[in-house]
Amino acid sequence: MYRILPLLTPTEVAECRKIAAASQFVDGRITNPHNKAKNNQQLHDQQASQRSSQLLLQAFQRSEEFREFAFPAVIAPPLLTKYGPGMHYGAHADAAFLNLGTHRIRSDISCTIFLSDPKDYDGGALHVRYGDADLRFKLNPGEAILYPSDTFHEVEKVTRGERLVAITFIQSQLKNPFERSLLFELNEVAALEGLKMDQENFSRLQLVQANLLRYWADKP
């Protein structure tokens, strides 16, 4: 359902913080003026946004764990956002489709990359509601949380300090979350146990993996 993964090096975290400290942020509702739940700030400097976005996309591209869990087809440019005391993002669902210039992507997986040290701010947990479960995430700098975009979630009010994160959305090759989870688990088992298997049986397992991706995926 969700995955926490190490994404950024300490040097990359420091660079993102440096970019944020030297750049202009504006009211987060600039991209959605009618969103009454949103109370945060987002980066509004095109050059700074491009620098931070490229850094973060490169981190995603080198992460094998990310590729194996998300089966990414398209990653939206990550955006730096921050929350000061009193700021929050009320319970909401992410949009099903996002406009990226001349094309649109489907939001299958939402992602928050934590950049502030959790000791430096109070509140500000990412709260994801999944059925009767209440999941809260407040991760270390450089860690990312991936979770389904169709879940109800919020950022709880910050009461002290500043919460700096980057957010992005992923369109997966596998639209169906059940199929995505099943293939991820199958791939994990194959990676962990494959070398212990008879070679012919392992090859048959690899054929099953490839065929499931071939028939389920809606993007190469």
Side-chain angles (χ1 to χ4, degrees), residues 115-165:
L115 298 169
S116 296
D117 192 307
K119 298 190 297 293
D120 292 340
Y121 64 99
D122 293 332
L126 173 64
H127 175 198
V128 180
R129 305 179 190 179
Y130 191 69
D132 293 333
D134 286 308
L135 307 174
R136 286 179 170 81
F137 303 97
K138 191 172 177 180
L139 305 181
N140 293 318
E143 291 183 325
I145 173 69
L146 301 166
Y147 60 97
S149 297
D150 61 359
T151 51
F152 214 42
H153 58 280
E154 65 181 319
V155 176
E156 296 176 339
K157 184 181 293 186
V158 172
T159 58
R160 178 189 65 88
E162 182 179 88
R163 176 191 192 263
L164 178 66
V165 300

Side-chain angles (χ1 to χ4, degrees), residues 183 186-187 205-216:
L183 189 53
L186 182 61
N187 291 348
L205 176 60
Q206 289 179 308
L207 178 61
V208 171
Q209 292 172 266
N211 281 342
L212 288 178
L213 183 60
R214 181 176 291 113
Y215 294 122
W216 284 347

